[in-house]
Amino acid sequence: MKNQNGTFKDWANANVSRQIEDTVLYGYYTLYSVILFCVFFWIPFVYFYYEEKDDDDTGKCTQIKTALKYTLGFAVVCALLLVVGAFVPLNVPSNKNSTEWEKVKLLFEELGSSHGLAALSFSISSLTLIGMLAAITYTAYGMSALPLNLIKGTRSAAYERLENTEDIEEVEQHIQAIKSKSKDGRPLPARDKRTLKQFEEKLRTLKKRERHLEFIENSLWTKCCRALRPLKIIWGIFFILVALLFVISLFLSNLDKALHSAGIDSGFIIFGANLSNPLNMLLPVLQTVFPLDYILITIIIMYFIFTSMAGIRNIGIWFFWIRLYKIRRGRTRPQALLFLCMILLLIVLHTSYMIYSLAPQYVMYGSQNYLVESNVTSDDRKSNSTLPVPKRCDADAPGDQCTVTRTYLFLHKFWFFSAVYYFGNWAFLGVFLIGLIVSCCKGKKSVIEGVDDDSDLSDEEPSAYSV
């Protein structure tokens, strides 16, 4: 709606601007409402439906009734979040002697004036906090694990098969040694029976591993991966460079908030950009040439998705110290896939705030400028005069000259959420550094890592794409 010199375009009058802002805001209403529906209704319903489906004795009607019963609990949580968000007092009445009815009336007036913005914003911000925890756990680790795994690659299937054959021979010798004790008809002691059972179980595992290794060694996919090895190294180097760019930008942005923000009571809002941030400088420049900024934002979001999936695949899905599911290509349970969708949905939701942390100028005002009066000295007349000079919009700009993006108003309506996000960014940086050290110290992954130790797996042949 504005020219690069800071003036409004001819068509951008007050009514048109307001209509555009309302249209964008209603678009956010719709999209975020879909997210609430998926998180609190659709995904829980399908999850509990599959939980009941595992029992062969239950019919479809019983499965649907049970799934709806448990989903009702999530619906109650969603309703509570909406109610709390709708009645959180953002503005305190100026008159301290106001009655309780006047305070409640003010809350209803705020709810009506914002068209439910506070209620939906509070619910989405609450989910974003969960997404922040998921991003700290999975995305931060995946940003270091994915590129280093691509660079290091996996162990040779032929070499692993040779090692496995040696282990099989060693275990068979132990089994023969124990069985030789009962050749004369004497029963084995209880201790030898337990040891024999352990060795036989280990032998079954090693033979299953042998079948997997033989299949992978002879598969066409393994030969293709071997030919594409240089390309994987290039992608790994690219991903680690992008990760370092994100980490540096996030660190400088957080350091800027620590040094120059308005404090924790404002959600660490920054008045102007004081420290140089690569992404914060790049995105407003790209915005002047459509659609370069959208392309970069899409790349950033896809990068977060890929690194998050890499982190989930390496770590698995946990509930505190209890591992719930593993993510294995071709062998993942439906419930685990639903958890994966839920986690990725929350991480992408948190990406909205992560982009603000990486590029606060772009998220708040984009490439908008506004005019300020500047003193200019003329050499001929030796007199001072004032001329309007364009200046980049920031938090100090007049409200009628710079339009704040709807996404910023939607996601930063409550200052305490922004404060938690700020400290969460420091935790994200710390987990990334820890993950980088761990990934550097770990050796190459097994070509069938996770196949032989996953209880959910059958003895069927593995997919060729599990390399």
Side-chain angles (χ1 to χ4, degrees):
M1 296 186 293
K2 303 191 73 174
N3 300 307
Q4 289 301 309
N5 60 4
T7 59
F8 282 93
K9 295 182 179 180
D10 296 335
W11 57 267
N13 55 51
N15 292 331
V16 174
S17 301
R18 186 62 183 174
Q19 290 176 1
I20 294 175
E21 293 173 8
D22 289 342
T23 301
V24 173
L25 190 59
Y26 293 148
Y28 279 118
Y29 277 168
T30 304
L31 295 175
Y32 283 122
S33 298
V34 170
I35 291 177
L36 287 180
F37 174 77
C38 290
V39 171
F40 288 106
F41 296 93
W42 181 246
I43 294 180
F45 174 79
V46 178
Y47 176 84
F48 290 114
Y49 178 82
Y50 272 101
E51 282 290 313
E52 291 298 314
K53 193 176 182 180
D54 291 341
D55 191 355
D56 298 332
D57 297 333
T58 56
K60 286 190 175 296
C61 293
T62 305
Q63 294 173 18
I64 293 175
K65 289 180 181 179
T66 306
L68 287 174
K69 181 178 66 174
Y70 288 114
T71 306
L72 183 62
F74 287 85
V76 171
V77 173
C78 180
L80 289 176
L81 289 176
L82 291 173
V83 170
V84 172
F87 294 102
V88 168
L90 298 178
N91 296 320
V92 181
S94 56
N95 186 6
K96 295 183 178 180
N97 296 324
S98 301
T99 63
E100 293 297 326
W101 166 247
E102 291 176 343
K103 294 179 181 179
V104 172
K105 184 179 179 181
L106 177 62
L107 292 178
F108 276 102
E109 290 175 354
E110 288 182 357
L111 177 62
S113 63
S114 62
H115 305 287
L117 174 63
L120 193 56
S121 177
F122 186 88
S123 303
I124 293 297
S125 297
S126 301
L127 292 181
T128 306
L129 288 183
I130 305 176
M132 180 190 71
L133 297 177
I136 293 172
T137 305
Y138 296 113
T139 310
Y141 177 72
M143 286 175 61
S144 59
L146 176 61
L148 289 178
N149 287 339
L150 288 173
I151 294 173
K152 291 188 295 185
T154 57
R155 300 177 65 190
S156 170
Y159 183 74
E160 281 197 68
R161 189 180 175 190
L162 179 61
E163 287 183 338
N164 192 75
T165 302
E166 294 176 354
D167 292 338
I168 290 176
E169 293 176 354
E170 183 180 352
V171 172
E172 288 177 343
Q173 291 175 2
H174 285 294
I175 292 175
Q176 290 297 329
I178 295 176
K179 288 184 176 180
S180 63
K181 297 180 181 180
S182 61
K183 283 184 177 180
D184 55 357
R186 290 183 302 172
L188 289 173
R191 181 178 179 183
D192 288 339
K193 287 182 179 180
R194 289 194 300 268
T195 305
L196 179 61
K197 186 177 179 180
Q198 292 173 359
F199 277 122
E200 289 176 345
E201 182 66 29
K202 185 177 181 181
L203 182 61
R204 283 193 294 268
T205 302
L206 290 173
K207 287 184 176 180
K208 186 178 74 170
R209 182 182 176 90
E210 176 75 14
R211 292 193 297 271
H212 286 293
L213 287 170
E214 182 180 2
F215 179 84
I216 291 175
E217 183 182 2
N218 298 326
S219 67
L220 180 61
W221 179 254
T222 304
K223 297 175 182 178
C224 293
C225 288
R226 193 179 301 116
L228 296 175
R229 183 81 186 99
L231 186 60
K232 285 187 175 182
I233 295 176
I234 294 174
W235 274 110
I237 295 174
F238 171 75
F239 280 144
I240 197 66
L241 291 177
V242 174
L244 292 177
L245 173 63
F246 284 171
V247 168
I248 291 173
S249 299
L250 187 60
F251 174 76
L252 290 176
S253 178
N254 257 29
L255 186 61
D256 194 12
K257 291 180 182 179
L259 297 177
H260 306 107
S261 69
I264 189 172
D265 293 340
S266 67
F268 294 98
I269 186 173
I270 299 178
F271 294 95
N274 303 283
L275 295 178
S276 298
N277 180 338
L279 285 175
N280 198 34
M281 294 186 297
L282 180 61
L283 279 169
V285 174
L286 294 179
Q287 192 183 32
T288 58
V289 182
F290 178 84
L292 293 182
D293 60 325
Y294 292 150
I295 294 175
L296 183 56
I297 289 295
T298 303
I299 293 174
I300 291 174
I301 293 174
M302 294 305 299
Y303 178 79
F304 275 120
I305 292 176
F306 282 128
T307 53
S308 300
M309 292 182 68
I312 296 172
R313 189 164 187 260
N314 281 274
I315 298 175
I317 299 175
W318 293 72
F319 182 75
F320 293 102
W321 59 87
I322 302 173
R323 171 173 284 185
L324 299 179
Y325 301 104
K326 290 184 179 182
I327 305 298
R328 294 291 179 261
R329 186 180 288 113
R331 300 176 183 85
T332 307
R333 294 170 60 85
Q335 293 89 332
L337 290 176
L338 290 170
F339 264 107
L340 174 64
C341 293
M342 176 81 78
I343 294 172
L344 290 178
L345 184 63
L346 295 175
I347 289 176
V348 172
L349 192 61
H350 175 65
T351 305
S352 301
Y353 184 81
M354 182 64 74
I355 295 177
Y356 165 74
S357 301
L358 294 169
Q361 172 64 37
Y362 172 79
V363 172
M364 289 183 66
Y365 295 102
S367 59
Q368 294 181 75
N369 295 321
Y370 70 102
L371 296 177
V372 294
E373 298 294 333
S374 178
N375 293 326
V376 178
T377 303
S378 175
D379 295 335
D380 297 337
R381 301 178 180 180
K382 294 184 179 181
S383 60
N384 295 332
S385 60
T386 58
L387 291 175
V389 178
K391 181 183 178 182
R392 185 57 57 92
C393 288
D394 54 29
D396 290 326
D400 58 342
Q401 293 295 319
C402 294
T403 304
V404 181
T405 59
R406 300 302 95 182
T407 178
Y408 177 80
L409 291 179
F410 190 91
L411 295 176
H412 298 79
K413 193 171 183 65
F414 301 95
W415 64 268
F416 42 85
F417 284 117
S418 299
V420 176
Y421 298 151
Y422 167 77
F423 293 108
N425 287 337
W426 287 116
F428 185 92
L429 294 173
V431 173
F432 170 79
L433 293 177
I434 295 173
L436 188 63
I437 295 173
V438 172
S439 299
C440 289
C441 295
K442 289 177 64 176
K444 291 184 177 181
K445 293 175 59 178
S446 171
V447 72
I448 56 169
E449 181 172 336
V451 170
D452 56 324
D453 62 345
D454 197 334
S455 59
D456 290 338
L457 296 180
S458 65
D459 289 336
E460 297 177 358
E461 295 297 343
S463 170
Y465 299 97
S466 62
V467 178

